[in-house]
Amino acid sequence: MTGTTRTSADLDPRRRRTLYRSWHRGIREMDLIMGRFADAEIGTLTEDELDDFELLIEVPDRDLFRWITDEAETPSNYDTPVFRRLKAFHQNGAPVDL
């Protein structure tokens, strides 16, 4: 996988920037976790949800990965509905686009 499969042409500048940042985090595993979620959901997030997602983008890769994989407890200020959607999006039973 080379990156985003979604065009950003129909997105406002803030969502374009957030989509880009989702795919350019630092480690490839987190690019895939955040980027695939952003591809699917960026157009439907409310402004408040986008605020929460942008906060997650700022979390260091290692910490966020540990929260998503349940290796560490998610701090309450990051345990938002958006985080739970992100986590559920990547559960084993979720559909996989190849």
Side-chain angles (χ1 to χ4, degrees):
M1 179 175 270
T2 60
T4 188
T5 57
R6 185 196 200 291
T7 179
S8 63
D10 62 332
L11 299 175
D12 62 75
R14 180 182 182 197
R15 290 173 196 277
R16 284 182 191 166
R17 182 177 55 250
T18 302
L19 179 63
Y20 178 86
R21 291 178 62 213
S22 298
W23 278 105
H24 296 87
R25 292 192 44 90
I27 64 169
R28 189 64 179 148
E29 293 83 356
M30 290 310 298
D31 291 351
L32 292 169
I33 289 170
M34 298 297 282
R36 288 189 67 226
F37 178 79
D39 277 358
E41 302 291 333
I42 196 77
T44 63
L45 295 175
T46 67
E47 293 299 314
D48 289 338
E49 291 170 334
L50 194 55
D51 289 342
D52 290 342
F53 188 65
E54 288 172 333
L55 287 175
L56 290 172
I57 289 174
E58 298 299 325
V59 173
D61 289 334
R62 180 181 174 153
D63 294 339
L64 186 55
F65 187 79
R66 292 182 65 191
W67 301 342
I68 290 170
T69 60
D70 291 325
E71 292 179 34
E73 187 174 333
T74 306
S76 60
N77 58 319
Y78 289 105
D79 191 13
T80 64
V82 171
F83 173 76
R84 291 189 294 277
R85 277 173 61 188
L86 169 68
K87 191 173 174 179
F89 183 82
H90 292 289
Q91 295 299 312
N92 289 336
V96 176
D97 296 336
L98 299 175

